[in-house]
Amino acid sequence: MHIAILTFDGFNELDSLIAYGMLGRIALLGDPDWRVSIASPTSRVTSMNGLTIDAHIGLTEACAADAVLVGSGLKTREVAANPDIMGALRLDPVRQLVAAQCSGTFLLAKLGLLGALPACTDNTSKPWVQAAGVHVLNQPLIVNGNVATAG
């Protein structure tokens, strides 16, 4: 199982790094087929608080992962407006598990992966997700098939 954590400039450390730490522990417990990667459109990204990290993989490899987690950040709307990044994000809920946290839900909406499905997000991102045509539920998590959103 390969899990890619999409991480963009302005990323929220809590979303990307806690997920990376928790999911990465499974590999430490001895599952040689388990891999977790930080995926970014550039080789390095800087968090909302100034932490710079190196990406393990690019977006193309992330789109081939078994599961993709889309984190949040201060620049999510800039990411959504970037045709190069959005064009590279070819996620497929038929063959992948796809999940998003907070403003990452906005990216799933802009990619057309939510359609008429309701979603969850945080209060800051809620108006953006709603403006993208998605009904936002006031709950911490919702799962629809292979797509999950959380806020």
Side-chain angles (χ1 to χ4, degrees):
M1 165 79 71
H2 181 202
I3 302 169
I5 302 171
L6 297 185
T7 304
F8 303 99
D9 269 325
F11 72 92
N12 182 330
E13 300 93 337
L14 296 175
D15 288 357
S16 293
L17 300 180
I18 289 176
Y20 179 79
M22 290 176 64
L23 294 168
R25 290 173 192 248
I26 295 171
L28 292 175
L29 295 174
D31 188 336
D33 295 325
W34 191 272
R35 181 168 67 122
V36 182
S37 303
I38 297 292
S40 301
T42 57
S43 62
R44 302 186 111 191
V45 287
T46 301
S47 75
M48 59 194 294
N49 291 305
L51 175 68
T52 299
I53 63 171
D54 293 329
H56 301 120
I57 61 173
L59 299 182
T60 301
E61 189 175 348
C63 293
D66 301 300
V68 178
L69 175 60
V70 185
S72 68
L74 292 178
K75 297 183 179 182
T76 303
R77 288 185 288 179
E78 291 174 34
V79 170
N82 184 316
D84 293 331
I85 293 174
M86 295 301 282
L89 293 176
R90 300 189 181 274
L91 305 179
D92 182 3
V94 172
R95 64 170 182 78
Q96 295 174 300
L97 300 174
V98 179
Q101 299 164 261
C102 302
S103 66
T105 300
F106 178 61
L107 292 179
L108 293 189
K110 295 302 277 186
L111 288 167
L113 297 177
L114 299 177
L117 299 173
C120 297
T121 190
D122 63 323
N123 286 331
T124 300
S125 306
K126 183 177 180 178
W128 316 335
V129 176
Q130 289 173 321
V134 176
H135 177 67
V136 176
L137 300 178
N138 186 24
Q139 60 190 62
L141 173 71
I142 187 162
V143 179
N144 292 294
N146 284 349
V147 178
T149 56

